[in-house]
Amino acid sequence: MKISMNVITTAFMVMILLSSCKEIKTKSNETETTATNTLVDSTDKWSVRMANSIMHRNEHAYEIDHRTVPKWDYVHGVVMLGFEKLYEKTNDQKYYDYIKDYADTLINEEGAIATYKIEDYNIDMINAGKILFKLYDHTNDSRYRNAMDTLRLQLTDQPRTKSGGFWHKKRYPNQMWLDGLYMGAPFYAQYTVNFEQGKALDDIAHQFELIEKHAKDEKTGLLFHGWDESKAMDWADDKTGTSPNFWSRSLGWYAMALVDVLDYFPQDHPGRAQIIGYLKELATAVVKVQDETGLWYQVTDMGDREGNFLEASGSTMLVYALAKGVNKGYLPEHFMKNAELGFKGLTEELIKVDKDGLITITQVCAVAGLGGNPYRDGSYEYYINERKKDNDPKATGPFIMAALELDK
């Protein structure tokens, strides 16, 4: 029996076609499996991707920042505040549970806070208390209120400069740092509005007035990292008492302090207009030194100097403050372009995505301060030589907040 060559050729072509289809289907299934197995979905918004990356890396929130035992700390506070805002946006219960787990790990049945020492009068330790207001509202659990009362007591007795400004820490006498305004003022404002009929708002406005008066550089509109009223510290200028340089993260802390404290100042309080004015002046100053990438340098005004680098935490904080300032109507609309550019710079220049979808934010200054032992002199060389750390919470928390303000 003869079989024509046409029939053989046709049959062969069908076999090849079927084999190709099977291979395409297999590859398609592999792709679908890979997508399903990623730990963080790349189609989610950046705020969700960062939060989910944090949760994957840290089963419990106290483990953030490589902690192996629980600690009450400002860095956990800034990340948990980002989670609080994300929960409000998404209503995803896992974010609320993550916050509550942190609080419940550190606060006992009587409301005492583990690892917290009021006698240190460290204003940084106030910051994590910001997450307790919503927990108290949701649960009516008295231990959260008791913990807040303890933090409020610290502010009552916090040592002050002669002019009435909170010392940054008991061991840093007569010093106000920009960081401290963020750590203390928004908590202080929310507490006094919620539980004291706002009686302390004048004192809070005074804290900002002092730092503006003594730490601001009139030439640039930027503020120096610290101010020593006594001028006793080696880092302090003999005439002004200010530290020698502008540090972008300290400016970021301060910018966030301004936009966050305004949530609690009523329209008719004179401090409100005053603080909005400070925010406008700071926004105008920082966009003048914003890099073309949208980011800010470690030493804010010296982007062209050798060794300086684009720094993530200060950039995330400034993006958040600019975006929230516009969204709340405190800042003119044109500042939103700067916020958008800054966020673009973060995602294109400093964010890395691994094969599992987990995101990492790079080029974060791990820590910087003034004085102490070993001594930190606030020089240019000091700031640029502090170590960098990926996924430092001082960048991840504000990144979530910035993304939420920009709906990213």
Side-chain angles (χ1 to χ4, degrees):
M1 178 180 174
K2 285 187 177 182
I3 301 175
S4 72
M5 287 301 297
N6 287 340
V7 172
I8 293 172
T9 302
T10 302
F12 183 67
M13 292 299 293
V14 168
M15 289 174 65
I16 291 174
L17 184 59
L18 288 172
S19 177
S20 298
C21 288
K22 185 177 181 180
E23 184 178 351
I24 291 169
K25 186 176 181 181
T26 301
K27 287 184 177 179
S28 176
N29 287 340
E30 287 175 357
T31 303
E32 288 173 10
T33 302
T34 301
T36 303
N37 289 341
T38 55
L39 299 171
V40 174
D41 190 343
S42 62
T43 64
D44 283 333
K45 290 183 182 294
W46 283 108
S47 55
V48 171
R49 294 168 70 184
M50 179 60 83
N52 290 350
S53 296
I54 291 169
M55 292 181 75
H56 176 76
R57 293 183 176 116
N58 306 280
E59 181 182 358
H60 300 285
Y62 77 79
E63 296 171 331
I64 289 168
D65 207 26
H66 308 290
R67 295 287 178 193
T68 55
V69 294
K71 183 183 179 184
W72 183 259
D73 202 351
Y74 76 95
V75 299
H76 298 84
V78 74
V79 178
M80 292 301 93
L81 197 60
F83 272 74
E84 180 181 287
K85 294 174 183 293
L86 185 59
Y87 171 66
E88 291 171 356
K89 178 79 170 181
T90 64
N91 205 34
D92 190 328
Q93 186 67 26
K94 69 182 179 184
Y95 301 131
Y96 174 84
D97 292 343
Y98 199 61
I99 300 164
K100 191 172 186 298
D101 178 64
Y102 177 73
D104 292 351
T105 301
L106 273 296
I107 299 172
N108 71 14
E109 292 303 315
E110 287 73 43
I113 306 170
T115 76
Y116 167 78
K117 298 178 181 178
I118 193 170
E119 63 271 18
D120 288 346
Y121 292 104
N122 179 350
I123 207 163
D124 287 343
M125 295 304 107
I126 301 295
N127 189 56
K130 296 171 185 176
I131 66 171
L132 301 180
F133 293 98
K134 291 290 174 62
L135 290 174
Y136 182 56
D137 288 346
H138 286 182
T139 64
N140 202 33
D141 189 329
S142 62
R143 62 201 171 109
Y144 300 134
R145 174 63 193 270
N146 292 341
M148 287 188 282
D149 290 346
T150 299
L151 297 172
R152 175 65 179 91
L153 180 62
Q154 177 186 325
L155 292 173
T156 298
D157 298 331
Q158 185 83 6
R160 293 176 182 246
T161 65
K162 290 179 181 178
S163 51
F166 290 135
W167 291 7
H168 192 65
K169 299 178 184 180
K170 185 179 179 180
R171 63 190 179 97
Y172 296 144
N174 305 304
Q175 298 169 38
M176 294 183 74
W177 297 7
L178 296 184
D179 322 21
L181 275 294
Y182 177 77
M183 303 303 165
F187 172 90
Y188 192 11
Q190 190 170 4
Y191 187 98
T192 198
V193 167
N194 283 14
F195 306 124
E196 301 174 336
Q197 294 78 50
K199 72 176 187 180
L201 288 175
D202 288 348
D203 186 31
I204 295 162
H206 185 57
Q207 304 301 310
F208 288 94
E209 184 180 6
L210 284 171
I211 207 73
E212 287 280 331
K213 179 179 179 181
H214 295 289
K216 178 175 276 186
D217 175 53
E218 294 303 324
K219 182 179 179 181
T220 62
L222 301 171
L223 289 89
F224 295 102
H225 185 178
W227 167 61
D228 173 14
E229 186 183 55
S230 70
K231 305 179 181 66
M233 299 301 294
D234 288 345
W235 54 255
D237 183 271
D238 291 340
K239 293 181 179 179
T240 65
T242 59
S243 56
N245 282 293
F246 308 117
W247 178 41
S248 288
R249 182 154 79 227
S250 69
L251 288 164
W253 287 127
Y254 185 59
M256 294 202 300
L258 291 166
V259 293
D260 285 357
V261 83
L262 282 167
D263 290 341
Y264 310 106
F265 271 79
Q267 293 281 348
D268 59 351
H269 193 285
R272 179 182 174 85
Q274 190 177 31
I275 292 169
I276 290 173
Y278 298 153
L279 178 63
K280 288 179 178 176
E281 291 170 5
L282 180 60
T284 300
V286 296
V287 299
K288 288 179 180 177
V289 288
Q290 186 176 18
D291 184 66
E292 62 183 9
T293 61
L295 303 172
W296 282 266
Y297 279 88
Q298 167 79 338
V299 180
T300 317
D301 63 333
M302 298 186 187
D304 57 350
R305 190 166 169 181
E306 184 178 356
N308 210 354
F309 61 93
L310 296 168
E311 199 278 328
S313 63
S315 296
T316 58
M317 293 174 183
L318 291 170
V319 168
Y320 164 71
L322 291 173
K324 182 176 178 179
V326 174
N327 288 336
K328 289 283 190 176
Y330 310 140
L331 293 176
E333 184 67 32
H334 66 82
F335 284 108
M336 190 60 83
K337 292 180 181 178
N338 299 95
E340 293 278 3
L341 179 62
F343 196 82
K344 183 173 184 283
L346 288 166
T347 55
E348 292 186 357
E349 303 288 334
L350 301 185
I351 290 284
K352 295 179 180 177
V353 183
D354 72 13
K355 60 182 177 59
D356 293 318
L358 295 169
I359 65 174
T360 290
I361 189 163
T362 63
Q363 289 188 202
V364 190
C365 174
V367 66
L370 297 164
N373 185 23
Y375 194 79
R376 301 168 294 182
D377 63 2
S379 65
Y380 176 82
E381 290 72 22
Y382 161 69
Y383 284 115
I384 64 165
N385 286 300
E386 275 289 16
R387 66 187 177 92
K388 304 184 193 84
K389 186 171 75 171
D390 289 352
N391 288 325
D392 188 285
K394 295 178 286 293
T396 59
F399 180 87
I400 294 171
M401 297 184 216
L404 288 168
E405 288 295 333
L406 292 167
D407 195 29
K408 299 287 189 183

